[in-house]
Amino acid sequence: MADETPLDRFRSALTGASRAVSGDAELDLVWTADAPALTGHTMRVPMPGRSLPPAQAAQARGFADSMALRLRHHNEALHARHAPAEPSARACYDAAELVRYEALGSRDFAGMRGNLDAALDVRMGADPITRAVKAEDVPIQAALALLLREKLTGQPVPEAARAGVEMMRGWIESRAGGDFASLANLLDDQQAFQSHTLDMLRNLELTRGDEQDQPATDPDDQDGEEPTEDEEDGGEAGKDEQPTEAAAEPSAGEDEGEENGEQEEDDGSDDDAEAGDEGEEGMLPVRPNRPWTDLPADFDYKIYTGKFDEIVSAADLCDEEELGRLRAYLDAQLKGLQGVVTRLANRLQRRLMAQQNRSWDFDQEEGLLDAARLARVVISPGQSLSYKVERDTEFKDTVVTLLIDNSGSMRGRPISIAAISADVLARTLERCGVKTEILGFTTRAWKGGQSREAWLQTGKPANPGRLNDLRHIVYKKADEPWRRARRNLGLMMREGLLKENIDGEALMWAHARLLARPEDRRILMVISDGAPVDDSTLSVNSAGYLEQHLRRVIEWIEKQSPVQLVAIGIGHDVTRYYRRAVTIMDAEQLGGTIIEQLADLFEEE
């Protein structure tokens, strides 16, 4: 068509090529200014400039080619069937599959290689591996994927990520070098490639050996045989839990597990006593996703000592200069995402303001003079004056608390998106007259901190209860204007802040703060990525100790409290804990999910 622009013609050509590659005749391509995504039959690809700069055009082709290859070579049901539950293992598993189908494209279509390289460069620009200064900073899934890509395609590691990959190369190749060669021969067979990928993850100690033939199941699945297998394997699972965690932190690989129970406790006690705020920063807690179990009638949650716990303002954890730098880093990292969340927040604002619109009853005998009807009196002086009375609004005075999991497994993209979503949401609700409080929860140290040291000094009494120092952080108070608290959210980007998480007590703390508020409607929204994890507590108490307490707290709030409770799980199913909950598999969905959940709550009668 004569009125088509070069960008329109480029989109048409790219759509046709993607349909041919994928074999999907209904595939459509739309431009986006946000993160690339494939949803159903629609590909969202970054829009190049109007003049089609070669570099931007190659990036668009690369993302479109990757999505088309996924449709052609990837079976999602097969991929999910044996996906490991551990976050770090799942991330590596997904990354290896992406490398597989992109390697097929590089092999089968000569023109794709450069396009896929351009798209990879864009992805690397936002990956923490490019900013890593020590091995603990390197995301294992990024390093593993780049080394696997190097073996499968012969393509070198991108320059921006080379330093980070070299920090991990020796450790990965010493354990999985042989697996790379096997995987190179299995590109065309997804099922065989998947099986060998799981072998590789076990060699890297990222997942347990007993998961080899265990398909991933719905956490709520009550099939009769599954709990039996869990019970039979329970003893061995405890022995393997610590190697899983050690693999996420290679430099801590010599640390013996505390999950082995009291038999091995003495061996690890010295390490526990010496571990401080800085000693284990790179650890990623393993998230257990146990099926629903009945709580024991005699369950009693205890706190060994609370004297080392702290409730602290974000501004007190670092100086003003560092807060400003961290906030600037957060803004720069999420420029593209902020536009999406802001548009969604504006939609929420319109829905809230619609509920708060003033309405009037007209032609009343008393009230405010209705100026719009004065013309009737001028035309017909015998007409009486008309008054109007404002109706009472049904919109309740409301306060919203966002309780954000600040554990180590949230590090990276999830915590960044949680921070920016909370920021935009607080600003939006403030414009609507809804007060917002933003809280975070973590621990002061890995592996117990001062609480564990006190326990060791008193002879290690049995079943001590919660055994770590809590850190509850106030990022924004409900009565605090958004402009004063804005910088505080940058603290979530601080290296070393995110440690372990004890969800039950954090929920009680946030709930107690809400109960003290005078508002008619009180909403508590929890943002987390799995079950509570604290190695120090779980190593000396019964299995599932923290999880059982969390269930008790949730049940009490949902059944007896006036507070409305809603949860959003990132990458893990939280619907087995919370009655009102939603699970998202991609952190990019967080902003929209927060807003949709709040909108639904506000619209309830």
Side-chain angles (χ1 to χ4, degrees):
M1 296 177 60
D3 57 349
E4 275 193 340
T5 66
L7 194 59
D8 293 331
R9 291 192 291 272
F10 179 64
R11 175 180 170 274
S12 298
L14 204 52
T15 301
S18 299
R19 288 174 177 173
V21 171
S22 66
D24 184 353
E26 298 179 2
L27 189 62
D28 193 20
L29 185 149
V30 297
W31 298 128
T32 181
D34 306 315
L38 174 63
T39 307
H41 297 282
T42 302
M43 300 187 303
R44 291 177 171 81
V45 173
M47 182 174 68
R50 292 183 179 180
S51 60
L52 293 177
Q56 294 181 18
Q59 291 165 8
R61 291 191 188 97
F63 283 112
D65 288 345
S66 179
M67 295 175 198
L69 289 168
R70 181 181 180 88
L71 291 171
R72 180 186 181 101
H73 296 295
H74 175 74
N75 184 314
E76 184 59 37
L78 178 62
H79 181 72
R81 192 173 302 154
H82 295 283
E86 294 90 343
S88 54
R90 177 60 188 263
C92 292
Y93 179 80
D94 293 342
E97 173 62 7
L98 183 145
V99 171
R100 182 190 72 86
Y101 60 71
E102 287 193 351
L104 285 170
S106 297
R107 184 195 71 184
D108 297 339
F109 301 96
M112 275 192 185
R113 177 167 290 199
N115 299 336
L116 294 172
D117 289 348
L120 178 64
D121 289 339
V122 175
R123 292 200 297 264
M124 287 297 101
D127 198 291
I129 195 172
T130 61
R131 302 184 295 275
V133 295
K134 54 184 183 296
E136 292 86 345
D137 300 334
V138 178
I140 182 68
Q141 67 271 17
L144 182 64
L146 290 172
L147 287 172
L148 182 59
R149 169 182 173 271
E150 183 181 64
K151 178 66 178 179
L152 300 186
T153 68
Q155 294 288 89
V157 174
E159 181 64 32
R162 190 166 299 162
V165 169
E166 293 305 319
M167 295 179 199
M168 299 291 290
R169 182 186 291 273
W171 183 81
I172 292 175
E173 291 185 343
S174 66
R175 291 162 173 78
D179 296 310
F180 288 175
S182 300
L183 290 170
N185 298 320
L186 300 171
L187 290 180
D188 294 292
D189 187 339
Q190 180 181 343
Q191 186 168 2
F193 188 94
Q194 168 187 284
S195 177
H196 278 71
T197 298
L198 292 172
D199 290 339
M200 177 178 66
L201 297 182
R202 282 186 284 273
N203 292 336
L204 290 169
E205 298 180 330
L206 290 175
T207 188
R208 300 196 298 270
D210 59 0
E211 288 185 357
Q212 182 171 3
D213 297 314
Q214 298 283 347
T217 58
D218 189 323
D220 289 325
D221 189 1
Q222 295 298 315
D223 194 273
E225 296 182 4
E226 291 296 324
T228 304
E229 292 176 2
D230 289 344
E231 291 169 7
E232 291 175 356
D233 295 341
E236 292 301 316
K239 295 179 182 179
D240 289 335
E241 220 164 295
Q242 182 63 24
T244 302
E245 188 174 87
E249 175 57 28
S251 65
E254 300 299 322
D255 209 357
E256 291 297 323
E258 292 184 350
E259 294 291 331
N260 296 0
E262 295 182 6
Q263 181 177 356
E264 294 184 12
E265 222 168 86
D266 292 339
D267 296 337
S269 60
D270 292 339
D271 292 338
D272 298 332
E274 294 172 4
D277 276 0
E278 304 301 325
E280 301 282 352
E281 285 181 358
M283 294 174 62
L284 290 177
V286 176
R287 296 286 194 173
N289 271 316
R290 303 180 181 88
W292 183 278
T293 54
D294 293 332
L295 296 178
D298 60 347
F299 178 70
D300 182 25
Y301 184 80
K302 297 185 296 184
I303 300 171
Y304 182 72
T305 178
K307 68 179 181 179
F308 304 112
D309 300 344
E310 67 178 14
I311 298 174
V312 61
S313 169
D316 294 334
L317 289 176
C318 66
D319 56 40
E320 287 289 321
E321 182 179 353
E322 185 179 8
L323 269 182
R325 179 178 58 80
L326 292 170
R327 178 67 212 203
Y329 171 73
L330 176 63
D331 290 339
Q333 188 179 9
L334 293 166
K335 280 182 180 177
L337 178 67
Q338 188 165 0
V340 181
V341 179
T342 301
R343 287 195 295 273
L344 292 167
N346 289 338
R347 189 187 310 165
L348 172 64
Q349 181 179 359
R350 289 193 295 271
R351 292 165 76 168
L352 292 183
M353 296 305 290
Q355 296 181 41
Q356 300 180 52
N357 283 344
R358 303 172 76 185
S359 59
W360 301 85
D361 291 322
F362 297 98
D363 294 323
Q364 302 298 306
E365 296 295 328
E366 58 183 16
L368 296 176
L369 183 64
D370 187 359
R373 286 169 168 74
L374 286 177
R376 295 190 306 184
V377 179
V378 174
I379 296 171
S380 178
Q383 290 275 355
S384 61
L385 293 175
S386 178
Y387 297 90
K388 61 182 180 180
V389 176
E390 185 177 3
R391 293 177 184 170
D392 291 335
T393 179
E394 296 180 0
F395 186 81
K396 294 180 180 179
D397 195 16
T398 303
V399 61
V400 176
T401 292
L402 288 181
L403 179 63
I404 302 175
D405 180 356
N406 284 178
S407 63
S409 57
M410 287 281 286
R411 181 178 292 128
R413 194 72 170 166
I415 196 66
S416 300
I417 295 177
I420 205 71
S421 299
D423 178 277
V424 174
L425 189 67
R427 194 184 334 163
T428 302
L429 294 178
E430 186 175 287
R431 292 199 299 260
C432 301
V434 176
K435 292 184 177 179
T436 310
E437 184 168 62
I438 303 174
L439 309 174
F441 63 98
T442 183
T443 57
R444 296 178 60 191
W446 294 105
K447 297 189 176 181
Q450 292 176 282
S451 296
R452 188 174 183 89
E453 291 178 9
W455 175 72
L456 293 170
Q457 291 169 4
T458 55
K460 301 188 292 187
N463 301 317
R466 189 256 290 168
L467 198 60
N468 206 335
D469 311 334
L470 299 186
R471 172 172 283 168
H472 291 164
I473 305 170
V474 180
Y475 291 102
K476 179 188 178 298
K477 297 178 181 178
D479 295 316
E480 186 177 15
W482 166 80
R483 66 180 184 279
R484 292 185 185 173
R486 179 180 178 276
R487 295 175 64 175
N488 292 349
L489 295 174
L491 181 69
M492 295 188 208
M493 304 297 101
R494 190 184 192 195
E495 187 67 27
L497 174 74
L498 310 180
K499 294 186 175 69
E500 303 191 77
N501 60 302
I502 299 174
D503 296 50
E505 290 189 63
L507 204 57
M508 293 172 63
W509 168 61
H511 178 260
R513 291 176 67 94
L514 272 177
L515 288 182
R517 298 291 308 174
E519 286 79 8
D520 297 324
R521 173 186 280 156
R522 288 161 283 192
I523 298 173
L524 174 55
M525 177 173 284
V526 183
I527 301 171
S528 180
D529 68 341
V533 172
D534 173 42
D535 289 341
S536 177
T537 299
L538 296 178
S539 66
V540 294
N541 292 281
S542 59
Y545 186 78
L546 296 175
E547 189 174 1
Q548 291 168 356
H549 179 244
L550 174 62
R551 292 188 190 280
R552 283 273 177 92
V553 173
I554 293 171
E555 182 183 21
W556 176 73
I557 294 176
E558 291 181 339
K559 291 183 177 179
Q560 302 183 38
S561 173
V563 172
Q564 294 176 284
L565 180 62
V566 61
I568 298 174
I570 304 176
H572 286 271
D573 183 16
V574 294
T575 59
R576 65 194 193 283
Y577 298 123
Y578 299 87
R579 180 178 59 82
R580 178 189 286 274
V582 62
T583 299
I584 58 176
M585 298 311 296
D586 186 350
E588 304 283 354
Q589 302 170 291
L590 179 59
T593 305
I594 289 176
I595 289 162
E596 289 301 321
Q597 289 292 307
L598 278 178
D600 291 344
L601 282 174
F602 280 120
E603 290 176 356
E604 284 185 353
E605 291 296 330

